[in-house]
Amino acid sequence: WYQRRVREAVVSTQSTGKPWWNPPSWLFGPVWSTLYFMIAVSAFIVYQKIGFNQALPWMVFFVQICLNFAWPLIFFVGHQLLGSFIEIIFMLIFIIFNIAVFFPVNQSAGLLL
């Protein structure tokens, strides 16, 4: 459902004029797949190190993941430019916070984020 909704919305926005610096559409799939793979590897490294024994790293991680999943829906499906801008600010704050709580557990995990 999520992928279908975002894909439909992305296709509908492709007809609008794009700036010259906009990357080609074919690049988004590999880039997002790589980013989410790095996030998953980071979480796996932290899980191997501490399991679920510490709550803070996992709370921050899951908020950051929820914000990551919400952004395409807000931007592409909802066409909410201000909402997506505000959401991305929160997402960046939580990514930085996530790096800060993962880095002491494992430096590689923090750097992968």
Side-chain angles (χ1 to χ4, degrees), residues 91-103:
M91 185 170 54
L92 289 172
I93 290 167
F94 270 90
I95 289 170
I96 292 166
F97 192 23
N98 201 172
I99 292 168
V101 296
F102 272 22
F103 197 80

Side-chain angles (χ1 to χ4, degrees), residues 12 18-19 21 27 32 35 44 46 51-52 54 57-60 68 72 76 90 93 103 110:
S12 72
K18 295 181 181 180
W21 48 266
L27 191 59
W32 280 104
L35 290 174
F44 183 70
V46 170
F52 289 115
Q54 296 178 25
W58 294 112
M59 287 190 310
V60 173
N68 260 298
F76 291 115
F90 281 109
I93 290 167
F103 197 80

